[in-house]
Amino acid sequence: MPILFTDMKIVKTIQEMQALSEDLRKEKRIGFVPTMGYLHKGHLSLVKKARELGDIVVVSIFVNPIQFGPTEDLSKYPRDFQKDATLLEEEKTDIIFSPDSKEVYPEGYSTYIQVKELENYLCGQSRTGHFTGVATVVAKLFHIVKPHFAVFGQKDYQQLRIIEKMVKDLNMDIEIVPYPTVREKDGLAMSSRNTYLNPAEREKALLIYASIKKVEELFKKGQRKASTLRDEAMKVLRSKDGVDIEYVSICNPDTLIEVDQVKNKALLAIACRVGKTRLIDNIILMEA
Ligand code: AMP
């Protein structure tokens, strides 16, 4: 039986959302958190941030089909709308925007946004078209929700950079607010996809954070050579069977281009497959 939410509005159509936002933004500052649902504490921290900075908080729940490749997990992506809505009401969310696929991509839909260059690196190498799907849906959501600012997690660092670049290049009048990665007590970055991991896989997934900590430790001790830092991360990741490394990159945090030597700061970004689950994590290495 659907639960009724007293103070929170659930909006399914673009027309209703646009009309609501048009009205609200005259006097209120609208903060927006786009998500694909199956919310965890990472998402909820973004919502808290939006609550702190804005008058009205809109959260979208939309599993965006065009950002999934043909062999990816679109059909089995975890969903639990009632639970998400309960959590969002606890965070004093004002509006959930959760359109269905046809509402967002009606028949004949044909416009896409490609942020060149940045999409070529890191996850873009294996997930062809993924970031075009992300940029397109976020641009659409920005036009629908009309926020003054939107909060994005640094957990998906490349996504954050691509959105920042899109906003800059297209002169969108929206502030992008980055939020640090929220982790489980043992260091694993929270992700809706962690639910795919069985206990043995979850144990192995901890090597990702262990490798990050190792690199951080070496960096603090003065190691600046990217190949050495990368090799050390790989050594940790390979210390148990079952972690397939897709990439370990040490790159410029703005351009995402690999560096040979870390000067001032760099992004350490990792993508691995543990069993069938693809996991990503990253950290900024910065001179003290
Ligand atoms: P998703 O539902 O995976 O599309 O994520 C929605 C938003 O939540 C994105 O801005 C993500 O970067 C952010 N997010 C996901 N996991 C975390 C996390 N562990 N810590 C902080 N933000 C996160």
Side-chain angles (χ1 to χ4, degrees):
M1 201 174 72
I3 304 166
L4 290 176
F5 297 93
T6 45
D7 295 323
M8 188 174 66
K9 220 172 159 50
I10 296 170
V11 176
K12 306 283 292 178
T13 69
I14 292 171
Q15 201 183 15
E16 188 188 352
M17 189 66 240
Q18 280 179 323
L20 253 175
S21 287
E22 190 60 29
D23 203 32
L24 286 166
R25 67 175 279 131
K26 286 178 195 147
E27 295 191 354
K28 312 256 188 209
R29 191 166 157 77
I30 302 178
F32 177 42
V33 182
T35 82
M36 298 207 297
Y38 214 73
L39 304 178
H40 50 67
K41 285 188 184 138
H43 296 113
L44 299 178
S45 306
L46 271 50
V47 177
K48 283 189 172 77
K49 189 72 193 168
R51 182 75 280 162
E52 182 191 314
L53 300 176
D55 304 313
I56 295 287
V57 176
V58 182
V59 177
S60 63
I61 298 180
F62 179 63
V63 181
N64 176 33
I66 68 164
Q67 72 185 65
F68 288 78
T71 60
E72 294 183 354
D73 55 346
L74 173 62
S75 63
K76 66 171 187 132
Y77 196 84
R79 294 161 213 243
D80 188 341
F81 184 81
Q82 287 303 328
K83 185 169 170 226
D84 288 348
T86 304
L87 292 169
L88 289 174
E89 191 177 49
E90 281 167 15
E91 296 301 336
K92 305 198 173 15
T93 300
D94 297 292
I95 301 169
I96 298 180
F97 178 55
S98 71
D100 70 23
S101 249
K102 286 235 162 61
E103 178 77 5
V104 180
Y105 303 110
E107 217 163 292
Y109 184 85
S110 63
T111 303
Y112 296 89
I113 291 189
Q114 192 185 9
V115 180
K116 292 197 175 189
E117 266 305 297
L118 288 176
E119 64 162 23
N120 295 338
Y121 307 106
L122 308 178
C123 297
Q125 295 169 90
S126 66
R127 302 190 74 187
T128 315
H130 169 69
F131 289 112
T132 295
V134 170
T136 301
V137 80
V138 172
K140 280 172 73 72
L141 289 168
F142 282 178
H143 283 111
I144 296 165
V145 174
K146 308 177 197 233
H148 293 89
F149 69 92
V151 191
F152 284 85
Q154 283 170 345
K155 150 90 175 21
D156 300 279
Y157 188 91
Q158 187 172 16
Q159 167 174 291
L160 167 67
R161 277 297 301 129
I162 283 175
I163 299 305
E164 285 175 338
K165 188 78 169 74
M166 172 184 82
V167 163
K168 182 166 184 268
D169 286 356
L170 296 180
N171 312 102
M172 292 177 167
D173 189 13
I174 297 172
E175 183 193 348
I176 302 301
V177 179
Y179 193 88
T181 302
V182 178
R183 300 177 179 282
E184 302 285 356
K185 279 201 183 76
D186 56 13
L188 182 66
M190 289 188 184
S191 163
S192 308
R193 290 189 166 100
N194 290 351
T195 159
Y196 299 150
L197 299 169
N198 67 34
E201 290 169 342
R202 193 177 174 310
E203 194 61 32
K204 288 177 188 170
L206 291 179
L207 290 176
I208 300 171
Y209 190 58
S211 69
I212 284 179
K213 292 310 274 180
K214 178 75 191 178
V215 171
E216 207 174 41
E217 180 194 316
L218 293 169
F219 183 77
K220 277 188 184 145
K221 283 185 184 155
Q223 183 57 258
R224 295 290 180 270
K225 202 170 167 207
S227 59
T228 307
L229 294 169
R230 213 169 23 239
D231 288 350
E232 289 297 324
M234 303 247 212
K235 239 188 249 169
V236 177
L237 291 166
R238 289 184 180 131
S239 63
K240 281 183 195 162
D241 280 345
V243 179
D244 290 331
I245 303 170
E246 190 182 293
Y247 65 74
V248 173
S249 175
I250 296 190
C251 60
N252 179 306
D254 298 323
T255 63
L256 309 182
I257 295 171
E258 295 256 343
V259 296
D260 293 332
Q261 202 75 19
V262 182
K263 292 181 192 125
N264 301 325
K265 69 177 185 171
L267 174 77
L268 163 66
I270 296 177
C272 291
R273 225 167 260 280
V274 181
K276 287 193 171 139
T277 308
R278 188 176 181 279
L279 299 171
I280 56 171
D281 204 342
N282 69 79
I283 200 166
I284 300 275
L285 301 167
M286 205 165 11
E287 301 270 5

